[in-house]
Amino acid sequence: MKKIGIATTGGDAPGMNAAIRAIVRIATSRHLEVVGFHRGYEGLMNDEPKPLTPRSVGGILQLGGTILHTARCPEFAARRGVRKAARNLLRSRVDGLVIIGGNGSFKGALDLSRETDALIVGVPATIDNDVYGSDETIGFDTAVNTAISEIDKIRDTAISHERKFIVEVMGRNRGFLALTAGITAGAEIIIVPEIRLKRENMFRTLEENSRKGKKSSIIVKAEGAGDADELAGEIERRTGSEVRISVLGYAQRGGSPTARSRLLASLFGEKAVELLLSGQGGRVVGLQGGGVSMISLEKSCGTEKPLDMNLMVLANLLAT
Ligand code: F6P
């Protein structure tokens, strides 16, 4: 192994820069040359990579986003695109590649690993926290903290006006962010894509709450778990009380990474370089039971990470 490449792909996540910094500095200390492909798979297919050095990654640890930029790349979904990237890796004489991204990015990495001799390692970074094989992804903790600091503020106005609020957090397909933000912000109700909402149960909870003297409620809903307007209308009709909607949106993807996101990025970066140096490609690094671990790309891509149902039960118990 002489030269490794790095690309950040899919939705950005706070801590991607910390991961780039860790990979560059660890790899350089092990006498590897490091280059970066810009705009994810788009750059991997089309561009000459740019050198990355310990100095060029100075001052980025605390920055959200990714200095390598990222993109959603439909062209890469086709085999032609994957082969193009494989040829570019060969041309650039890159023999190890670190893909920093989420579940979708790793599916692309798996396809690419079948077309190239370069070793590929995935570093999980997504606010969706949906990578199988890692209890947590880089950026998740930051997004949860961003969400709960907004929900805390919404709680103030909800209490003052005795209103119900639907707060929509990110998560097109998965509810990890909604569940963790919901439980840590004390949401009365949490709605996630993985669990079919039983509306009658929700109305019963809201009615019981108001009987017990709760005049306001926060419903945290993942973006992919139904339509907020429609839900608000139904709650207003059933309970006769005002409902407001607050969509937290893209702010959840940005901002300075928390200590936890930076630490994960540093640990994952180190592990990724170690794997490449020991000749182990086709892997995703991760956190399992508190320790840094790894599983095969294939297993990670082919398995859906389960939502912790005990957390949902706990959330309901705590919201009484
Ligand atoms: O980064 C993950 C995620 O935030 C999802 O929760 C969300 O649905 C999606 O990305 C939206 O990203 P974009 O608009 O960039 O495609």
Side-chain angles (χ1 to χ4, degrees), residues 11-12 72 126-128 170-172 223 250 253:
D12 61 349
R72 309 266 183 206
T126 163
I127 66 160
D128 287 340
M170 273 194 156
R172 191 177 290 159
E223 119 193 53
Y250 285 88
R253 280 233 297 246

Side-chain angles (χ1 to χ4, degrees), residues 199 226-235 237 245:
R199 295 202 172 197
D227 183 68
D229 286 309
E230 194 248 320
L231 186 65
E234 203 176 338
I235 298 173
R237 277 193 298 282
I245 299 171

Side-chain angles (χ1 to χ4, degrees), residues 11-297:
D12 61 349
M16 279 183 160
N17 282 326
I20 295 168
R21 169 183 178 269
I23 295 160
V24 171
R25 292 192 172 171
I26 301 282
T28 312
S29 75
R30 306 292 298 272
H31 312 292
L32 293 171
E33 190 184 340
V34 190
V35 292
F37 291 92
H38 287 231
R39 298 185 312 283
Y41 288 122
E42 211 178 288
L44 259 164
M45 286 188 304
N46 302 312
D47 303 334
E48 201 181 311
K50 310 249 174 18
L52 289 167
T53 66
R55 292 281 50 80
S56 72
V57 296
I60 67 168
L61 173 66
Q62 70 280 21
L63 300 181
T66 160
I67 59 161
L68 291 177
H69 303 279
T70 182
R72 309 266 183 206
C73 182
E75 197 192 338
F76 189 77
R79 192 159 184 210
R80 210 151 37 93
V82 177
R83 286 188 157 168
K84 207 168 160 193
R87 283 197 298 277
N88 198 19
L89 282 176
L90 194 64
R91 202 168 33 243
S92 313
R93 297 201 313 283
V94 165
D95 38 22
L97 178 67
V98 184
I99 296 291
I100 305 172
N103 197 34
S105 305
F106 294 161
K107 293 199 168 102
L110 181 63
D111 292 342
L112 184 57
S113 71
R114 294 179 172 138
E115 301 283 349
T116 176
D117 289 333
L119 301 181
I120 301 184
V121 171
V123 165
T126 163
I127 66 160
D128 287 340
N129 196 26
D130 60 349
V131 175
Y132 182 83
S134 191
D135 295 343
E136 194 177 321
T137 54
I138 297 165
F140 178 65
D141 180 66
T142 309
V144 169
N145 279 289
T146 300
I148 66 169
S149 79
E150 293 304 300
I151 299 170
D152 289 350
K153 291 170 194 152
I154 291 167
R155 173 79 71 185
D156 293 342
T157 178
I159 291 172
S160 304
H161 285 263
E162 303 182 334
R163 278 176 176 155
K164 295 177 177 44
F165 267 83
I166 297 174
V167 182
E168 187 172 285
V169 300
M170 273 194 156
R172 191 177 290 159
N173 304 311
R174 303 306 313 268
F176 293 97
L177 181 56
L179 181 52
T180 308
I183 201 168
T184 53
E188 276 68 26
I189 295 183
I190 301 171
I191 307 176
V192 294
E194 293 86 345
I195 304 172
R196 226 185 106 244
L197 176 65
K198 294 197 180 100
R199 295 202 172 197
E200 287 311 315
N201 290 356
M202 182 184 69
F203 294 133
R204 199 175 317 122
T205 305
L206 290 172
E207 271 151 28
E208 273 170 18
N209 283 352
S210 69
R211 256 204 311 281
K212 281 186 286 191
K214 268 198 187 195
K215 301 262 187 319
S216 63
S217 288
I218 302 273
I219 299 165
V220 171
K221 184 187 85 59
E223 119 193 53
D227 183 68
D229 286 309
E230 194 248 320
L231 186 65
E234 203 176 338
I235 298 173
E236 284 187 341
R237 277 193 298 282
R238 283 291 291 258
T239 63
S241 56
E242 274 186 316
V243 180
R244 290 287 190 269
I245 299 171
S246 197
V247 178
L248 300 190
Y250 285 88
Q252 295 162 97
R253 280 233 297 246
S256 182
T258 57
R260 187 163 175 82
S261 290
R262 296 180 200 193
L263 185 62
L264 273 190
S266 306
L267 292 167
F268 286 179
E270 179 189 37
K271 181 78 175 175
V273 175
E274 263 173 26
L275 286 177
L276 290 176
L277 280 169
S278 61
Q280 299 182 70
R283 304 279 194 276
V284 173
V285 306
L287 188 76
Q288 282 179 33
V292 181
S293 58
M294 51 107 182
I295 66 163
S296 79
L297 247 180

